Amino acid sequence: MKILVTGGAGYIGSHVVKQLGEKGHEVLTIDNLSTGHKEAVLYGKLEILDLSDKEKLREVIKNFSSDAVMHFAASIEVAESVENPLKYYRNNTANTLNLLEVLQEFGIDKFIFSSTAAVYGEPENVPIKETESLNPINPYGKSKAFVENILRNMSNAYGFKYVSLRYFNVAGADPEGRIGESHNPETHLIPLILKTAKGERENIKIFGTDYPTPDGTAIRDYIHVEDLANAHIVALEYLLNGGESDVFNCGYGHGYSVREVVEAAKKVTGIDFPVEETDRRPGDPAILVADNSKLVNNLNWKPKYDDIEYIIKTAWNWELNKKF
Ligand code: UDP
């Protein structure tokens, strides 16, 4: 099949491009390289293009005539979204609208969307089911929730078929070490811990030790990027086989506290790096854990790397041998 991937030079997109390529699909990546890396695109062609350029987008989509589209291109920093909300509504919402309009022009009606657990805000029920109400508490989560609403409306109005995947905490790297996470600035827990272990940072700060959790630190559902990439593959197959539009959580269904992740990283790296306990980071809920039964049961998703030490091990290998 011919699959168009926006943001295919980014962390998650590049792992999906790799799996699509391994499965023999023809892939075209569109990326503006604002945060992506051209070396991360292991299969197919890369078209350097910003989704705000609708004319050029039209040309690329017309020439490639894809069977489905996977849309990763987005801005992803919560704190930045609070400081610069327009950037998020432009990049994540308005540019997605451009893409959807062009897809409609060319009759491309199968779409996989990178959504986020941030659409739930501070959920009332944990583990979180897809039926939990959407109450995003920052512009990042809102910019993604807008798109989910647009997709639902399109599905009802035009018979457009989409799958929205709500990611929990994605971590880890290609087990063969070819690609991995490379954000600048980095804000995520596991890469920051590993940069500390490597000696690039003075310490790792634990944001909040007074949460209502067993050890007082926040709990997240960490999913290996390879398993998340595979969720995209099963979602794609589902749509290509005539599946209806739907939404799925992507996580393992259980979580680890910040302290537990720190301890696991000390064990994996063998390094006793410095840890500092500080105040909570604003907007961080106590516990975010997915109920993943829908993805497991409806799409027959079979995660392979549900092991925090393995996740950290692949991320550590990448951190030590980064290619970009
Ligand atoms: N966190 C932390 N120190 C850091 C970065 C993150 O204690 O330097 C905590 C953060 O408060 C949250 C968890 O680690 O509870 C995961 O944060 P991350 O930014 O990786 O992902 P998020 O859950 O915000 O999507």
Side-chain angles (χ1 to χ4, degrees):
M1 291 284 169
K2 293 176 78 171
I3 313 297
L4 184 79
V5 179
T6 77
Y11 171 45
I12 300 167
S14 63
H15 283 81
V16 175
V17 167
K18 184 191 72 173
Q19 289 194 12
L20 288 168
E22 285 169 352
K23 288 207 162 279
H25 294 294
E26 188 183 341
V27 185
L28 176 66
T29 290
I30 294 178
D31 201 298
N32 67 4
L33 297 184
S34 61
T35 57
H37 307 269
K38 58 179 185 306
E39 307 91 313
V41 182
L42 299 182
Y43 287 88
K45 284 199 187 134
L46 165 65
E47 190 76 51
I48 300 169
L49 164 66
D50 193 280
L51 297 179
S52 60
D53 186 348
K54 204 169 172 182
E55 272 314 306
K56 197 161 169 214
L57 183 62
R58 194 174 272 129
E59 213 171 286
V60 170
I61 286 176
K62 184 177 174 195
N63 291 334
F64 187 65
S65 63
S66 64
D67 296 289
V69 173
M70 294 191 176
H71 179 40
F72 297 91
S75 300
I76 59 154
E77 287 172 44
V78 171
E80 185 191 44
S81 81
V82 175
E83 283 156 26
N84 191 358
L86 284 179
K87 174 175 174 181
Y88 281 70
Y89 293 121
R90 161 58 56 197
N91 282 347
N92 298 0
T93 311
N95 286 354
T96 300
L97 202 53
N98 273 351
L99 173 64
L100 291 169
E101 284 168 345
V102 174
L103 296 183
Q104 193 186 37
E105 279 177 38
F106 293 100
I108 299 168
D109 60 1
K110 293 183 179 57
F111 192 79
I112 300 200
F113 178 58
S114 296
S115 189
T116 167
V119 297
Y120 296 116
E122 306 206 19
E124 276 175 28
N125 308 291
V126 181
I128 307 169
K129 288 189 197 301
E130 290 83 353
T131 47
E132 183 78 20
S133 56
L134 302 193
N135 278 314
I137 54 171
N138 51 58
Y140 168 65
K142 287 179 188 176
S143 71
K144 292 280 185 176
F146 275 130
V147 175
E148 284 210 11
N149 281 309
I150 293 167
L151 291 172
R152 192 173 335 103
N153 296 161
M154 284 179 67
S155 182
N156 290 335
Y158 312 126
F160 182 84
K161 305 290 185 216
Y162 75 94
V163 166
S164 184
L165 297 175
R166 294 179 182 154
Y167 309 161
F168 282 66
N169 287 64
V170 190
D174 172 33
E176 291 177 47
R178 293 165 293 179
I179 49 177
E181 194 163 8
S182 195
H183 295 124
N184 188 17
E186 186 54 73
T187 61
H188 292 123
L189 180 64
I190 290 177
L192 285 177
I193 288 176
L194 297 177
K195 285 179 194 301
T196 310
K198 209 176 156 191
E200 274 180 26
R201 298 172 63 92
E202 219 168 276
N203 58 33
I204 182 72
K205 294 189 171 52
I206 295 185
F207 295 151
T209 53
D210 59 347
Y211 282 102
T213 59
D215 71 12
T217 66
I219 293 175
R220 296 288 181 273
D221 186 338
Y222 295 89
I223 172 174
H224 197 292
V225 66
E226 283 288 313
D227 279 332
L228 179 64
N230 179 254
H232 292 74
I233 304 292
V234 297
L236 174 69
E237 286 165 0
Y238 166 79
L239 283 185
L240 292 173
N241 288 327
E244 290 299 323
S245 296
D246 213 337
V247 179
F248 300 92
N249 286 335
C250 297
Y252 290 138
H254 59 89
Y256 294 93
S257 71
V258 176
R259 274 197 222 280
E260 286 172 330
V261 175
V262 166
E263 287 314 310
K266 286 189 175 179
K267 187 170 166 210
V268 169
T269 62
I271 298 168
D272 188 16
F273 49 82
V275 178
E276 189 188 321
E277 296 183 355
T278 63
D279 289 346
R280 292 184 185 194
R281 185 170 67 180
D284 277 346
I287 307 179
L288 286 178
V289 171
D291 179 327
N292 67 8
S293 49
K294 206 174 154 189
L295 183 63
V296 169
N297 296 332
N298 297 16
L299 298 192
N300 199 25
W301 177 65
K302 292 191 177 73
K304 293 202 303 200
Y305 304 115
D306 179 0
D307 175 348
I308 192 68
E309 287 183 17
Y310 185 76
I311 291 174
I312 294 170
K313 195 171 148 218
T314 56
W316 181 229
N317 178 43
W318 170 252
E319 192 58 49
L320 294 176
N321 304 291
K322 274 188 169 184
K323 313 258 185 311
F324 45 83

